[in-house]
Amino acid sequence: MALQAVIFDWGGTLTPWHDVELPEMWRTICSPHLPADSVETVAAALAEAELELWRRGAEEHRSATLAELFALAGVEPTDALLDTHYETWTPHTWIDPAVPGLLGALRERGIKVGVLSNTMWSRELHERIFARDEVLGLLDGAVYSSEIPWTKPHAEAFRAAMDAVGATDPAACVFVGDRPYDDIHGAKAAGLRAVQIWHQTTHAFTRPGLTPPDALIHDIGDLLPHVETWHVP
């Protein structure tokens, strides 16, 4: 069977995994813009709101937005604070250097390339990142959970990603991600092949009874040989 599409998770897949402490990130973001005596309280409220929305996504598979996060924390963000938010996260958003060549190789083989990310960030922010790293033009479609009602592993999220790249047969699609439940189990349940990229914290996401991946890789650059095994034009 010829593959129609390879769809990628974003954080921890297209970008190398980084461990971050949300309260510290929010303190860094808030500090230049708030009185010193309010930074700790506001940063804690933002971190708590973000964790609650991630919990909701994981347990209820309901999406959220950055605007919803700020509203839940009772914070009215300024443009300057939002700029600092982007800048603070920038060191953690760089695309893996192997990605541009990989995406180009997939497209040369007639395989569509997509992205499906559980994210509260807007399309504009993601496209800003992809343009910065010169991969935006290599994507045939992208779906961000901030724009749809669901998060992975909901089957509708995977169907939306297939629609975005013009794929019609889940069995002819591959999803690549790092999380055993959201990415691998979700993709397999929706009928796609699934490749898990392993990193040092993926064990924290493992739970009993999950569907195993079709392949396990340790580096995004190791994906292409598996794709070539499955892709029979």
Side-chain angles (χ1 to χ4, degrees), residues 19-148:
D19 288 311
V20 298
E21 293 293 332
L22 281 178
E24 180 57 33
M25 294 291 284
W26 282 114
R27 280 192 290 271
T28 300
I29 293 163
C30 292
S31 291
H33 308 288
L34 298 174
D37 60 358
S38 67
V39 167
E40 192 63 35
T41 299
V42 174
L46 287 162
E48 183 178 348
E50 182 164 0
L51 289 172
E52 169 58 22
L53 292 176
W54 284 124
R55 180 209 62 77
R56 188 181 80 182
E59 296 179 6
E60 303 173 29
H61 310 159
R62 289 196 292 132
S63 61
T65 66
L66 200 55
E68 187 176 359
L69 188 160
F70 282 110
L72 184 61
V75 175
E76 184 68 35
T78 62
D79 289 342
L81 187 144
L82 292 172
D83 287 343
T84 301
H85 178 272
Y86 177 84
E87 293 163 3
T88 302
W89 276 99
T90 292
H92 309 289
T93 64
W94 290 100
I95 299 299
D96 189 297
V99 166
L102 171 63
L103 302 191
L106 293 174
R107 297 184 85 197
E108 286 172 0
R109 288 160 174 77
I111 301 171
K112 300 289 188 180
V113 173
V115 169
L116 172 60
S117 177
N118 281 358
T119 179
M120 298 178 205
W121 295 10
S122 67
R123 176 175 294 271
E124 185 276 331
L125 281 178
H126 285 283
E127 291 189 347
R128 183 175 172 186
I129 290 165
F130 291 143
R132 177 199 67 195
D133 295 349
E134 300 183 347
V135 295
L136 183 59
L138 297 174
L139 301 178
D140 296 293
V143 171
Y144 307 105
S145 64
S146 57
E147 296 184 329
I148 61 175

